[in-house]
């Protein structure tokens, strides 16, 4: 999948079919072909303690690492992120998470380590609504990497990318006890409104006035 996802979009469908015939990928593997992988969005991030990470757009071949991260989440992290709606992550769900069109849907992952030791330790994403000016956003950081500034960094990166794509506002549904998430939004310096409905805080963050 790594090679297919970085091939020219015109050739990806043929390559995927060839890989399916040879049983190199799942028979129901999907691949969105709208836009080439935006390699220019890959950036290094150095933490205050000197550890080096990479923040980059998600790719279809990230599936095993996303799966590894999901099954490492504490119950609390899963609950705060998915509000109790996602208990397992089979391939048909995972591939939807890992295949984005880098246009209406964007996801950035944070990776630590290299080669066979690389792991994904956080992911943030947005998906535009039909009006194309509003996007739903959410993110999650692996438990042992929380409170080190990654959530703040991912939010800033996604807000910049969305702003450049003409998105005017983000919506996020946050549980009221999620003080970390609410703090990130409120201290972003952006205009933020909250409405609480049926136990969920709907936050609207304006990227452009
Ligand atoms: C919420 C979340 C994304 C924040 O990411 P993070 O990398 O831990 O955030 P940061 O390190 O940038 O922290 C931002 C601020 O929130 C605080 N914070 C983070 N997690 C917190 C928590 N569980 N409780 C209280 N404060 C918290 C941090 O201490 C920091 O404040 P400070 O600078 O005053 O110390 C992360 O904790 C997470 O994945 N939580 C579970 C999933 C989730 O809630 N997703 C959001 C659904 S929309």
């Amino acid at each position: 999948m790594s090679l297919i996802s970085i091939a020219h979009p015109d050739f990806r469908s043929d390559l995927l079919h060839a890989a399916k015939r040879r049983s190199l990928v799942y028979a129901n593997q999907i691949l969105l072909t709208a836009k080439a992988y935006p390699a220019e969005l890959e950036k290094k991030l150095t933490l205050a303690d000197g550890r080096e990470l990479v923040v980059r757009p998600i790719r279809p071949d990230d599936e095993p690492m996303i799966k590894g991260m999901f099954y490492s989440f504490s119950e609390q992290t899963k609950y705060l992120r998915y509000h109790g709606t996602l208990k397992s992550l089979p391939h048909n769900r995972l591939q939807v998470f890992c295949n984005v069109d880098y246009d209406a849907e964007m996801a950035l992952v944070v990776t630590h380590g290299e080669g066979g030791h690389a792991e994904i330790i956080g992911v943030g994403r947005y998906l535009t609504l039909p009006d194309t000016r509003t996007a739903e956003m959410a993110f999650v950081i692996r438990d042992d990497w929380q409170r080190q500034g990654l959530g703040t960094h991912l939010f800033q990166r996604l807000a910049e990318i969305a702003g450049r794509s003409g998105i005017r506002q983000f919506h996020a549904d946050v549980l009221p006890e999620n003080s970390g998430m609410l703090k990130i939004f409120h201290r972003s310096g952006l205009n933020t409104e909250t409405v609480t409905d049926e136990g969920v805080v709907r936050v609207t963050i304006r990227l452009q006035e």
Side-chain angles (χ1 to χ4, degrees), residues 147 152 178-189:
R147 296 184 183 234
T152 303
N178 198 343
S179 51
M181 192 73 242
L182 292 168
K183 205 177 207 179
I184 290 173
F185 293 143
H186 287 135
R187 69 180 188 196
S188 65

